[in-house]
Amino acid sequence: MKKVLGVVIGGLLAFNSFGATAQQITYPNKNITVIIPKNPGGGTDTSTRLTIEYAKSYLPSGVIFVPENKPAGNGVTGLIEGARAKPDGTTLVMTTVELAMFPHQGKSPVTYQNFTPLYAPIADPCAIVVKADSPYKTLADLVAAAKEKPGTIQVANSGTGAIYHLAALNMEKQLGIKLKHIPFSEGVGPAIAALAGGHVDAVITTPGAAKSQIDAGALRALGVMDEKRFALLPDVPTFKEALGKEVDVRMRAWAALAGPADLPANVKDQLVAAFKAVAANPAYQDAMKKQGIMPSTLVGDDVAKMLKDDHDLYKELIAAAK
Amino acid sequence: MTEVLEAAGIVFSYQTLFLITVGTLAGIIIGALPGLTVNMGIALLMPLTFTFEGMAGVLMLLGVYCGAIYGGSITAILINTPGTPASAATCLDGYPMALKGQAGRALGLSTASSMFGGLFSTVALIIVAPQLAKVATGLSAPEYFALAVFGISIITSVSSHSLIKGLIGGCIGLGIATVGLDPMTAGMRFTFDSLYLMGGISFVPVLVGLFAFSQALFSIEENWGENLHGVSRSVSVKITRLLPTWIDLRRVLPTYLRSSVIGTIIGAIPGTGGDIASYVSYTEAKRWSKHPEEFGHGSIEGVSAPEAGANAVAGGAMVPLMTLGIPGDGATAIMMGAFMVQGLSLGPLLFTEHPVEVNTIFIGLFVANVLMGILGFAGIRAFTRIMVVPRKVLVPIILVLCAIGSYSVNHTMTDVFVMSIAGFLGYIMIKLGFSMSPIVIGIILGPMAETNLRRALTMSDGDFSIFLTRPICLTFLIIAAVTLFLPIVGPKFSAWRRAKAASAGQGAPEPSSDSRSA
Amino acid sequence: MRKYNFVVAALSILMGCAIFWFSRNLTPFDEMGIPGEAFWPQAIAWLFIFLGGLQAIQSLIASSSGGEASVDLHSPGVRVAYIGALLAFAYAVLMTYFGFSVATLVFIPLLMLLMGERKPLMIAVTALAVVAVVWFFFVQVFNTTLPPSIFFE
C-alpha cells in the first residue's frame, strides 16, 4: 500500500516527466551522490548533469541527486571512491572509457569488475578528421599517403595512452601504416585548434567535438571507427566502408553510470528501469544531440558487456604499444 | 538589424536584466572572497542555468564571469589577499595604496579599469572576432612555447626584493608543475606511487595558500603585536569620492588601452587566461611608464593595468569559443556546457544559424560589464568597511573560506592540506625575501612552456631551428630575453651612464630612468 | 639575513640535486633526439643549482659590505602565527574525521581566542554565522557538498 501510494504521489509530483510511474525509484532514504571524475563543464560532466536532471523525477520526494566533481588524479580518485562506496545505491559514479585503459597502464587499482554498470549515456565512435583544404579527400588517400611516407603524417590526439592515441595505434596495427603522433594532453580542444590552423594533418576525436566545424565546412571527417555510420554525421563512411571488408577498426568513447560491485538486485533493477525510461525520453535525446552526442540506449548487462569487451581490447592494444 | 533589435529585446527584459544583475553581484562576491575563484563561481552556478529557458541562464553566467574577475581586486586592494588568481598582480600596488589611506582611489581606479577592459574586449569581440580567431589559430607549438617563455621572463619584473630569490621562486613554481603525468609521454614523473600526485599538485589550493593563507598568518602576527601594545591599526578608510579624478584618468588612460589590447589577445589564445594577462599588463605598464619607480609602492598605473588586462580576457576568451567552439580559458571551458545545453552549436555556423543568440551574447556581455561598473562604484563605500572589520573576526573567516575553496576544487581533503602547507611555507618564504608572484607564474606557465617545446620538436623531428625561423616565435623570444635581463642590467647600465657623465664632469642632466623603457 | 641567505642557497642547490636524483630513471632525450621526460625537470635542476650558487656568492659579497635587513622567525608574534598555522592544520585534520560543521565550530573559537577575542557572545555568533552561511550557500543553493564526516556513513 505504502509503495502504491508512493508511486501515485511520485507520479503526481513528476507530472511534467515522461511515463514516470512505472520506473519509480523507491529504495533511497537519503540523497544519491553521483561522482563525476571529470572537471565541470566538460562533455562527461554536462551529459551526467543532464542525465540526472531528467532522472530526478523518478526519485521519491525529499531525495535528490547530488553531482560531485572529483577530477583529482586524472579522475582515478573519483573512480576508487565510487568502487569502494557502500553498495546501497546511494553512491553512483560516471565511469569513462579510461576505466578500460588505466588498469593496464598501472594508473588505476580498480577495473570494470569493481562496478555494477547501469546506463551508458554516451558510446560515441572515434572519427578521424582533417582540414577542409587537406589533400586527403578520403580515408583511402590518407592511408595511401601514410604508406608512401611512413611516419610523416601528423595525427593529433588527446594525450599519449588516452583513447584517441590508442585509436591511432589501432589504425596503424590494422592498416599496416605508420603515423606521427602529436599528443595534446591539454585536451581535444587545442588539438582541433591546431588542426584548424593547419599545424597538424589530422585529429582523432569523437565527432561531437568537431561537429560544428564539420557542418560549417571548415573540417572534414574521413571515417568513423564503428560498424555503422554515426547518426549525427550520416555522410561520413565507416572505416569498413571506406577501406574494404577486412578492416575492422572499432573504437568508442563511452561514459557509463555505475554503482559499486555487489549492488542488491532490487536496487539495480530500479535504477536500470529508471535510466531506461530517461534514455527513451525524446526531450532528453534532444538535449544530448544538441551537445553533439548521440544518446545511447545501452542499459544494464549491455553496458557490462561493452565494459568487458573494451577492457580486453585495450589490454591487447596497450600491450602491443609497449 | 532586426536580429540586433530582437536580441536587445531579450536582454532588456526584466527577467534577463534581473538575472544578469544577480549573476554579476554573485560573481563580485564570489570573486572577492579569498579561496573561491572565478572558475568555481561559474562551476557552482552552471547547474542552475539548466533550469532556465533560452539565453537568460547563459547571460547570468557571463555576469558571474565578469563580476568575479573584478571582485578579486577588492580584497586584493583592501586586505592584500587576492580573491582570484587574476588579481594577484593587483595586490602589488593596490595594497600599498590602501595603506597610504587611498583605498577609495585605488578601488575607483580598479573599477574603472575593469569596466574599461571589459567593454573594450566586448567591442573587439563584436568587430574583429574572426580576425582574432585567425591570429589565435595561426599560432603553433613554437609560438606557444615562445609566449610561455615571455610570460616566465616577467618574473624578474615582479620580484620585489631580490632578483635571485625571484628566480629561485620561479624555479619552485616550474618544479611544482612537473609533478604528475608527463604531458607528452604520459609517464609517471615524481609521483611516488601516489594517486593524488599522478594528477599533479592542484594549482588553486597552492595559490590560495601562497596568497591568502600566508597573509592570514601575517595578520595573526600583526594582531598579536597590536594587542601587546594596545594600539590598533589605523588606516584611513575615508572615501572622499567614488569616481576617479580626471587627472588620474588622463594619466592611466594609455595604460587602460594597452592592458585591454594585451588582455583581449591573451584571452583569445586558447589555454591562457586572466592570471597571465594581469601579470603581462602589469609588466608592460611598468616598462612604458614615466614613473616606473612608483611601481610596488602604490602606483596608480600599477593598480589599473592588471585589472584592465584581466577583465579584457572575458571578451577575448569568447572569441575562440564562439568562432571555433574551443574555449579560450578555464572559465569559458566550463561555460561551454551551458551554451551547448541551450542548443547553441558553438563554431563557425553560430553566426549564421543563431544571429539573434550571438547578438544577445554581445549585448549581454556589454550590459554585464556596465552593471559590474555600476555595482562596483555603488559598492566602494561598503567594500571599504572590510578594512574596519576586526582582524579577530576576519582572519578566522578567511581561513575557513580558504579550506572550503580548496576542498571544492576537487572535492578532496588532500587539497586542503596542500593549501595549508603551501601557505605556511609561503609565510616563511615571504619573511626570507621571496615574492609569491614568480612561483605562481612558474606554475601556470611551466607546463605550457614544456609541452610546447617538446611538441614543437616532435613536429620538427628534433630540429631546434624551428624556434629561430618562425618570425612570431623569434620576436617573442627576443622580447622575452629583453624582459628577463632588463631589470638586471638596466639599473647597472643607468648607474654606469651616470658615473660616466659625472666623471666627464660636464654636469649633464641626470639620465632618468628612461633607459628602462627602451 | 646573511645566515638565512646561505640556507636559501644551500636549499636551492639541494633541490636541484634532489630533482636529479628522482629523475634518474627518466629519459632526457628519446631515440629521435627529442627531449624526453627528464629534459625539463633537469633543466630546472641546473637552474636551481646555478641560482643557489649565485645566491651564495651574493651573500658573501653583501655581507662584507654590511647593512642587511634582519629576518624575524623567532619573535613571540611570529610564534603566535606558527600556532595559528598549527591550528589551521589541525582544523584540516578535524575536518577529515568530523566533517565541516563540527571542525569549523571548534576551529573558529580557538583561533579567535588565540587572537585575543574574549567576548563569548562574539565568538559564538561568529562561529555559528560562518557555518550557517557557508552551509546555506553550498548545500542549499548550489547543491554541492562540504567535507563530510567519515563516521557519518
Side-chain angles (χ1 to χ4, degrees):
Chain A
M1 186 59 206
K2 206 175 174 187
K3 194 175 169 185
V4 176
L5 201 68
V7 168
V8 172
I9 293 171
L12 286 174
L13 285 172
F15 58 92
N16 57 344
S17 71
F18 186 79
T21 44
Q23 296 80 25
Q24 199 62 34
I25 298 170
T26 53
Y27 71 84
N29 49 16
K30 62 175 207 168
N31 289 347
I32 300 182
T33 306
V34 179
I35 299 172
I36 307 169
K38 294 277 168 177
N39 279 312
T44 308
D45 177 69
T46 321
S47 38
T48 309
R49 286 173 189 273
L50 264 182
T51 307
I52 58 179
E53 184 73 25
Y54 280 89
K56 74 177 179 197
S57 55
Y58 303 125
L59 289 176
S61 62
V63 176
I64 53 170
F65 287 110
V66 181
E68 200 169 287
N69 296 85
K70 294 205 180 226
N74 297 325
V76 178
T77 47
L79 289 177
I80 293 175
E81 200 177 310
R84 296 196 181 147
K86 209 158 124 196
D88 58 1
T90 55
T91 308
L92 307 177
V93 55
M94 189 57 91
T95 62
T96 56
V97 68
E98 278 92 359
L99 178 65
M101 306 189 287
F102 281 170
H104 314 302
Q105 294 164 331
K107 292 180 198 159
S108 165
V110 292
T111 71
Y112 73 98
Q113 286 160 325
N114 299 84
F115 295 97
T116 309
L118 301 166
Y119 168 54
I122 314 177
D124 280 355
C126 297
I128 185 156
V129 181
V130 296
K131 212 181 168 197
D133 57 11
S134 159
Y136 315 119
K137 299 287 174 215
T138 64
L139 192 56
D141 289 352
L142 185 99
V143 174
K147 279 196 171 134
E148 201 175 304
K149 286 184 280 177
T152 56
I153 294 185
Q154 302 191 341
V155 181
N157 58 56
S158 64
T160 303
I163 172 158
Y164 304 133
H165 176 236
L166 294 172
L169 290 178
N170 198 359
M171 265 178 78
E172 286 185 338
K173 186 178 128 201
Q174 303 243 357
L175 305 172
I177 54 174
K178 189 96 192 73
L179 302 166
K180 189 157 147 191
H181 306 284
I182 314 287
F184 281 81
S185 48
E186 302 96 326
V188 78
I192 293 174
L195 182 67
H199 309 301
V200 293
D201 296 316
V203 171
I204 296 186
T205 168
T206 48
K211 187 173 177 296
S212 66
Q213 304 225 50
I214 295 171
D215 289 346
L219 302 179
R220 179 169 59 238
L222 294 182
V224 294
M225 304 182 183
D226 202 352
E227 47 202 351
K228 57 176 197 305
R229 293 194 176 195
F230 186 62
L232 296 179
L233 295 171
D235 299 332
V236 180
T238 66
F239 266 54
K240 207 175 231 171
E241 286 168 354
L243 296 171
K245 284 212 156 42
E246 71 282 11
V247 182
D248 183 28
V249 185
R250 270 195 294 158
M251 303 288 284
R252 53 200 163 185
W254 45 258
L257 191 65
D262 308 320
L263 216 53
N266 74 314
V267 170
K268 184 188 160 188
D269 292 344
Q270 282 185 15
L271 285 168
V272 167
F275 284 110
K276 199 171 177 177
V278 170
N281 184 341
Y284 169 72
Q285 291 180 351
D286 264 0
M288 291 291 272
K289 279 182 199 156
K290 277 180 187 168
Q291 299 188 67
I293 292 167
M294 195 57 217
S296 98
T297 47
L298 291 175
V299 288
D301 294 339
D302 290 342
V303 185
K305 186 177 175 303
M306 177 175 79
L307 261 57
K308 188 185 178 313
D309 287 353
D310 274 13
H311 182 84
D312 298 341
L313 170 75
Y314 287 115
K315 184 177 185 180
E316 214 175 287
L317 273 179
I318 290 165
K322 268 174 192 162
Chain B
M1 198 60 210
T2 51
E3 288 109 10
V4 179
L5 289 177
E6 200 179 325
I10 296 174
V11 175
F12 293 107
S13 68
Y14 286 119
Q15 194 212 2
T16 319
L17 275 181
F18 174 72
L19 279 174
I20 301 180
T21 314
V22 169
T24 313
L25 193 65
I28 294 176
I29 294 169
I30 290 173
L33 294 175
L36 313 186
T37 62
V38 182
N39 295 7
M40 218 184 103
I42 296 172
L44 282 179
L45 267 86
M46 199 197 64
L48 297 184
T49 66
F50 284 0
T51 52
F52 295 124
E53 272 298 314
M55 295 297 293
V58 171
L59 294 178
M60 182 179 82
L61 286 190
L62 287 178
V64 177
Y65 186 24
C66 298
I69 304 177
Y70 160 68
S73 67
I74 299 170
T75 29
I77 290 168
L78 294 176
I79 52 173
N80 202 19
T81 308
T84 67
S87 48
T90 314
C91 288
L92 297 173
D93 279 286
Y95 189 58
M97 279 184 83
L99 285 184
K100 283 195 273 180
Q102 300 175 350
R105 190 184 176 203
L107 280 173
L109 280 166
S110 79
T111 310
S113 68
S114 296
M115 196 162 122
F116 185 91
L119 293 176
F120 179 94
S121 73
T122 309
V123 173
L125 170 71
I126 297 169
I127 300 175
V128 290
Q131 289 80 356
L132 263 177
K134 240 195 185 74
V135 171
T137 52
L139 305 179
S140 182
E143 285 83 26
Y144 273 99
F145 168 70
L147 202 63
V149 170
F150 165 58
I152 293 171
S153 70
I154 286 173
I155 285 174
T156 50
S157 313
V158 295
S159 314
S160 45
H161 298 295
S162 149
L163 274 179
I164 298 175
K165 282 175 189 164
L167 290 168
I168 293 179
C171 286
I172 293 172
L174 293 174
I176 289 173
T178 61
V179 176
L181 293 185
D182 179 278
M184 294 301 277
T185 65
M188 312 267 184
R189 208 160 58 172
F190 313 127
T191 56
F192 306 104
D193 292 325
S194 146
L195 283 170
Y196 175 83
L197 289 179
M198 205 176 89
I201 297 171
S202 310
F203 165 61
V204 171
V206 173
L207 180 106
V208 169
L210 290 181
F211 283 104
F213 191 96
S214 63
Q215 183 58 38
L217 294 185
F218 274 103
S219 297
I220 295 177
E221 182 190 334
E222 284 165 29
N223 174 73
W224 189 85
E226 284 163 10
N227 285 352
L228 194 69
H229 301 110
V231 288
S232 64
R233 174 181 58 161
S234 58
V235 175
S236 162
V237 291
K238 226 176 94 194
I239 306 291
T240 43
R241 56 180 296 146
L242 297 175
L243 297 171
T245 60
W246 179 238
I247 304 164
D248 276 0
L249 271 184
R250 225 172 38 195
R251 194 177 140 193
V252 294
L253 198 62
T255 307
Y256 280 12
L257 269 174
R258 192 188 317 105
S259 303
S260 302
V261 172
I262 293 171
T264 309
I265 294 175
I266 289 183
I269 298 170
T272 51
D275 29 27
I276 295 305
S278 58
Y279 277 117
V280 172
S281 300
Y282 182 81
T283 312
E284 292 308 314
K286 190 172 173 184
R287 194 201 302 263
W288 299 104
S289 169
K290 291 198 178 70
H291 311 280
E293 73 286 348
E294 287 180 10
F295 278 72
H297 307 286
S299 157
I300 59 170
E301 289 146 287
V303 77
S304 305
E307 282 308 306
N311 281 276
V313 163
M318 297 302 290
V319 169
L321 183 72
M322 291 174 70
T323 56
L324 302 166
I326 294 159
D329 66 355
T332 41
I334 303 170
M335 256 191 267
M336 204 170 145
F339 278 90
M340 305 279 257
V341 169
Q342 297 303 335
L344 292 180
S345 58
L346 298 162
L349 287 185
L350 182 68
F351 291 80
T352 49
E353 282 183 355
H354 299 283
V356 176
E357 283 83 352
V358 168
N359 282 300
T360 311
I361 295 171
F362 288 162
I363 300 173
L365 201 54
F366 217 89
V367 169
N369 276 301
V370 172
L371 278 173
M372 175 188 90
I374 295 172
L375 290 170
F377 282 120
I380 287 181
R381 275 178 212 281
F383 300 150
T384 45
R385 307 297 295 172
I386 301 177
M387 292 185 82
V388 292
V389 173
R391 285 187 186 161
K392 292 169 238 183
V393 176
L394 198 59
V395 170
I397 294 175
I398 289 178
L399 286 177
V400 169
L401 286 172
C402 288
I404 296 304
S406 307
Y407 174 81
S408 301
V409 177
N410 288 328
H411 288 102
T412 167
M413 281 306 294
T414 318
D415 279 340
V416 183
F417 288 101
V418 167
M419 185 275 298
S420 352
I421 293 167
F424 180 69
L425 292 179
Y427 174 70
I428 305 279
M429 284 173 74
I430 295 172
K431 295 237 153 204
L432 292 175
F434 281 87
S435 314
M436 295 297 106
S437 297
I439 305 181
V440 173
I441 294 175
I443 301 178
I444 303 171
L445 289 174
M448 182 172 158
E450 180 191 13
T451 311
N452 285 293
L453 169 72
R454 289 166 63 191
R455 187 179 297 141
L457 289 170
T458 309
M459 288 167 149
S460 73
D461 292 313
D463 183 359
F464 275 87
S465 70
I466 99 170
F467 296 111
L468 304 175
T469 52
R470 303 174 65 108
I472 300 177
C473 173
L474 188 63
T475 313
F476 271 119
L477 286 176
I478 292 170
I479 300 177
V482 172
T483 314
L484 183 67
F485 289 111
L486 212 61
I488 304 170
V489 194
K492 300 222 165 68
F493 182 71
S494 33
W496 173 77
R497 262 181 44 188
R498 250 197 308 275
K500 204 178 151 197
S503 67
Q506 290 168 347
E510 182 157 303
S512 68
S513 38
D514 284 351
S515 55
R516 281 172 149 223
S517 59
Chain C
M1 194 73 169
R2 188 182 170 208
K3 180 177 88 190
Y4 292 111
N5 275 341
F6 281 117
V7 174
V8 167
L11 280 177
S12 179
I13 293 171
L14 198 72
M15 192 70 198
C17 297
I19 293 179
F20 273 114
W21 172 254
F22 288 117
S23 65
R24 66 192 183 282
N25 294 327
L26 306 176
T27 45
F29 287 94
D30 69 5
E31 65 275 13
M32 305 269 291
I34 298 161
E37 289 167 2
F39 176 83
W40 186 257
Q42 290 186 353
I44 299 170
W46 280 118
L47 265 176
F48 265 123
I49 294 171
F50 170 75
L51 291 169
L54 218 58
Q55 176 71 65
I57 293 166
Q58 196 218 32
S59 314
L60 278 176
I61 296 169
S63 64
S64 60
S65 61
E68 282 255 2
S70 65
V71 177
D72 168 20
L73 288 180
H74 299 292
S75 74
V78 179
R79 279 166 209 235
V80 174
Y82 290 159
I83 298 172
L86 209 65
L87 265 181
F89 202 78
Y91 173 47
V93 175
L94 212 62
M95 195 144 59
T96 314
Y97 289 100
F98 296 95
F100 168 76
S101 308
V102 175
T104 309
L105 287 177
V106 175
F107 170 69
I108 290 187
L110 284 179
L111 188 60
M112 287 180 84
L113 283 173
L114 178 78
M115 293 184 77
E117 179 63 65
R118 294 289 177 268
K119 294 193 278 287
L121 186 69
M122 187 74 180
I123 293 174
V125 167
T126 309
L128 286 171
V130 169
V131 171
V133 169
V134 170
W135 180 84
F136 176 75
F137 277 100
F138 277 71
V139 178
Q140 290 303 307
V141 179
F142 297 126
N143 194 17
T144 180
T145 49
L146 291 167
S149 159
I150 57 163
F151 300 126
F152 183 73
E153 254 307 297

